Amino acid sequence: HFGGGVDIDGAVQGGVRSILPGDEMHEGVGTSFSTPIISTIAANAWATLAASGRDVDPTLVKALMVHASALNS
């Protein structure tokens, strides 16, 4: 999921934009932007599989998420 990125020199390229106090725009990068979204997707995948009566383990959920992200890229 999108967390922003930096180039080889460490300059922000395509970061996540937000507004700071004082109406100042800021652009940042990092996994903290995408982690809550990815965690929610994993939890929903786990719950859906469990509700269908399947045995669920973290490896299965990870594989499904990687497969789905590859299809959407």
Side-chain angles (χ1 to χ4, degrees):
H1 215 281
F2 189 73
V6 296
D7 65 16
I8 197 165
D9 298 320
V12 174
Q13 300 294 320
V16 176
R17 293 183 180 155
S18 59
I19 303 296
L20 299 177
D23 296 330
E24 181 182 334
M25 188 188 85
H26 177 73
E27 189 171 21
V29 298
T31 57
S32 62
F33 292 111
S34 58
T35 300
I37 298 166
I38 298 301
S39 299
T40 300
I41 293 169
N44 285 327
W46 189 294
T48 300
L49 290 167
S52 72
R54 292 189 169 97
D55 290 331
V56 187
D57 65 65
T59 305
L60 174 60
V61 173
K62 179 180 178 181
L64 290 169
M65 291 179 65
V66 170
H67 180 72
S69 67
L71 291 175
N72 288 324
S73 294

